[in-house]
Amino acid sequence: MTAAPDSAVGEHAPVEASAKAPPAPEGKNSVKKPKPARGESHLAMVRRARRINRELAEIYPYAHPELDFRNPFELLVATVLSAQTTDLRVNQTTPALFAAYPTPEDMAAAAPEDLEELIRPTGFFRAKSRSLLGLSQALRDDFGGEVPGRIEDLVKLPGVGRKTANVVLGNAFGVPGITVDTHFGRLVRRWKWTGQEDPEKVEAEICAIFPKSEWTMLSHRVVFHGRRICHSRKPACGACPIAPLCPAYGEGETDPEKAKKLLKYEKGGQPGQRLTPPPDYPGLPAPPAAARAARP
């Protein structure tokens, strides 16, 4: 089972984690080295990676988390719901959810069937309901109703792994972290920054390339680029501003006019994923969910 194409931060399973980035893997058989660009040394790769990050910062100065939230609890819940679905679907679902259960205490006391019905559009609603009830009860009982600001505490909550924890820490608490989601993993491998497949190993190797102050925004920029231009199956190579720095140039459409037709979200003149995007977002807000008929 794989994440939906635009699922940014869905967890596959909680993992053990420490407060620091996971240690880089050791042993000659434990590391799958990326195939570098022809003749490129490790130092040259690091310099190229940092230049790509600078270019992405100019392309996406408005990069941001694409889940709607107003506080750490809402971001935590929305991130758990984003597994195996799109951020848009989550954003269309959470207004009614948070209207019904605005605090951990409220959600901890929810009837499972009522919670399931509210989050049904996000898929896997029974498993997600169990996670939300469990994490809400833990927040109520163990953390005074507050979302903790340490990764070692967050990953102990039901349904929360390193990806979700880094999203919450980076965007609700200002604690830098690399969020290795589907888009991030495939782009950093496409760019030959790493050859790892395991998210923790990817996180460790990318953390070693960039200063800590860049980790959170780098995550947003890479995900934005993956969703808008550097798609999995049909990357818009001919419309990509960082094409000269990409060792995988040519895997997608190189004709500029044809490539422009592949652009998505604000780059393609379409709405984004957030119903309430930041003020500096240059695209259109996403539409709210259409009213659903009452279930019998």
Side-chain angles (χ1 to χ4, degrees):
M1 183 179 298
T2 58
D6 284 328
S7 176
V9 287
E11 299 288 350
H12 293 290
V15 295
E16 295 295 330
S18 65
K20 300 179 180 179
E26 298 180 355
K28 64 180 181 179
N29 295 324
S30 64
V31 179
K32 181 183 177 183
K33 292 294 185 183
K35 182 180 179 181
R38 180 175 295 182
E40 185 178 55
S41 66
H42 177 74
L43 177 60
M45 181 276 290
V46 170
R47 288 174 174 168
R48 179 172 58 84
R50 293 184 176 185
R51 184 177 172 188
I52 287 176
N53 181 44
R54 292 194 298 270
E55 295 284 341
L56 292 178
E58 294 185 9
I59 299 166
Y60 307 106
Y62 50 86
H64 59 271
E66 293 191 270
L67 290 168
D68 287 327
F69 70 98
R70 296 171 296 186
N71 55 57
F73 176 62
E74 289 190 357
L75 180 57
L76 176 61
V77 169
T79 306
V80 170
L81 289 177
S82 71
Q84 308 298 329
T85 191
T86 64
D87 287 356
L88 172 58
R89 183 59 58 87
V90 174
N91 291 336
Q92 292 173 329
T93 302
T94 50
L97 177 66
F98 295 137
Y101 310 114
T103 69
E105 292 84 355
D106 294 322
M107 192 169 288
E113 59 273 18
D114 294 338
L115 184 57
E116 289 175 5
E117 186 60 27
L118 282 170
I119 66 173
R120 181 183 290 269
T122 68
F124 301 94
F125 56 91
R126 291 189 179 89
K128 291 178 180 180
S129 176
R130 289 192 294 270
S131 292
L132 294 186
L133 287 171
L135 71 84
S136 297
Q137 291 163 2
L139 293 177
R140 177 195 63 192
D141 299 339
D142 302 331
F143 298 99
E146 300 291 334
V147 176
R150 302 193 312 162
I151 197 167
E152 56 264 40
D153 293 327
L154 284 168
V155 295
K156 294 177 183 177
L157 299 173
V160 178
R162 284 195 71 91
K163 284 183 285 187
T164 293
N166 278 328
V167 168
V168 173
L169 290 174
N171 298 288
F173 292 99
V175 177
I178 294 286
T179 301
V180 184
D181 75 338
T182 303
H183 299 290
F184 190 93
R186 67 178 175 79
L187 261 64
V188 298
R189 285 186 289 271
R190 182 173 277 173
W191 292 335
K192 308 301 183 185
W193 294 0
T194 181
Q196 299 293 344
E197 296 285 343
D198 178 80
E200 285 198 33
K201 293 179 180 179
V202 172
E203 181 185 345
E205 293 197 358
I206 303 305
C207 282
I209 295 174
F210 296 92
K212 191 173 183 179
S213 60
E214 287 291 303
W215 290 353
T216 299
M217 286 308 301
L218 171 70
S219 300
H220 292 322
R221 294 165 190 152
V222 172
V223 170
F224 259 56
H225 194 64
R227 283 178 166 166
R228 287 149 178 79
I229 297 177
C230 195
H231 311 134
S232 177
R233 293 179 182 149
K234 290 185 178 180
C237 294
C240 180
I242 63 167
L245 299 171
C246 181
Y249 175 78
E251 289 185 7
E253 179 58 64
T254 57
D255 180 86
E257 292 304 316
K258 292 180 180 179
K260 286 181 182 179
K261 296 178 181 179
L262 300 175
L263 301 180
K264 295 183 179 180
Y265 302 112
E266 77 281 356
K267 294 297 183 183
Q270 302 155 358
Q273 298 208 85
R274 292 190 66 166
L275 277 65
T276 57
D280 63 342
Y281 178 63
L284 301 171
R292 290 188 297 149
R295 293 177 63 86

